[in-house]
Amino acid sequence: ANILGIQAFQHAFPELKHVAVFDTAFHQTMPSHAYRYAIPAEYYEKHGVRRYGLHGTSYRYVAQEAGRVLNRDSNRLALVIAHLGNGASISAVLNGKSQDTSMGLTPLEGLVMGTRSGDIDPSLFSFLSENFAMSVEQTTNMLNRQSGLLGLSGLSNDCRTLEAAAKEGHAGATLALEVFAYRLAKYIGAMTVACGRLDALV
């Protein structure tokens, strides 16, 4: 989809310079102990299988803005920044550089999101295949589009709807919000470890 957009603009505006900004670029400062998966090294060395992270353009901006709001040099701050929405992630940013982030090879890893599961046991794929004859594609689709707040609540992926329903006693909405908050709190602790200290939670 992104390449199609680039090609369309190249065709429509051939005289203009085109620049691609990758959401993963900000996270290229992560140390190897943060981005490597504990799988055989050849998958990384030959195929680049590693944690890349996303929302990098947002994190870069927010880190700089946090410094402005705090009246501190953003290149001397230890920040844990939570990017919360239908797609959610969290990052440890130390002295303006990403130290770790919750999204991985794909946006599926990490926090519970609107329709994405976030972290799960990878053996779920074989369990669902063996017990429900679900293909890898079906499971991947379920984890990306039918899970998260929507899957837990059975109601919605929108926190406004879930908050209203929880006030009315909807058990699924209550559970979805509790799981979301609990997983976020666990990741805040983890990202504080990655920074080594914490000046601000953003």
Side-chain angles (χ1 to χ4, degrees):
N2 292 317
I3 291 171
L4 285 173
I6 290 168
Q7 290 171 339
F9 275 95
Q10 286 176 328
H11 178 74
F13 305 104
E15 72 284 1
L16 296 180
K17 182 177 181 180
H18 297 267
V19 178
V21 179
F22 290 85
D23 241 8
T24 55
F26 180 72
H27 300 297
Q28 294 305 297
T29 55
M30 288 192 298
S32 58
H33 66 258
Y35 69 71
R36 287 288 296 274
Y37 287 117
I39 60 175
E42 65 182 291
Y43 293 100
Y44 169 70
E45 293 164 356
K46 295 180 181 177
H47 308 290
V49 176
R50 54 162 281 180
R51 301 179 66 253
Y52 287 95
L54 287 137
H55 296 146
T57 52
S58 173
Y59 285 120
R60 182 178 180 200
Y61 168 77
V62 170
Q64 291 171 346
E65 188 68 3
R68 187 189 67 77
V69 170
L70 295 168
N71 198 28
R72 302 262 307 269
D73 181 353
S74 61
N75 291 320
R76 293 173 181 251
L77 286 173
L79 304 171
V80 172
I81 305 173
H83 179 108
L84 303 177
N86 198 48
S89 67
I90 187 168
S91 282
V93 181
L94 180 64
N95 302 330
K97 296 181 178 178
S98 176
Q99 301 301 303
D100 201 353
T101 192
S102 57
M103 286 181 168
L105 177 69
T106 74
L108 186 57
E109 185 180 353
L111 300 176
V112 171
M113 303 172 223
T115 62
R116 293 185 188 126
S117 64
D119 293 340
I120 58 146
D121 181 342
S123 291
L124 181 67
F125 279 84
S126 59
F127 177 83
L128 294 177
S129 175
E130 292 165 11
N131 292 279
F132 303 101
M134 288 178 66
S135 68
V136 170
E137 184 178 346
Q138 288 172 316
T139 301
T140 300
N141 184 66
M142 179 267 289
L143 293 174
N144 276 286
R145 295 185 173 88
Q146 301 163 13
S147 298
L149 295 174
L150 176 63
L152 282 165
S153 69
L155 181 66
S156 176
N157 63 325
D158 191 317
C159 283
R160 294 166 296 188
T161 301
L162 296 178
E163 287 170 359
K167 286 180 183 175
E168 298 295 319
H170 190 286
T174 301
L175 177 65
L177 293 170
E178 287 176 350
V179 170
F180 179 83
Y182 176 68
R183 296 277 185 88
L184 174 61
K186 286 204 316 185
Y187 259 103
I188 290 170
M191 292 300 158
T192 303
V193 170
C195 272
R197 69 178 205 276
L198 182 63
D199 293 320
L201 172 63
V202 186

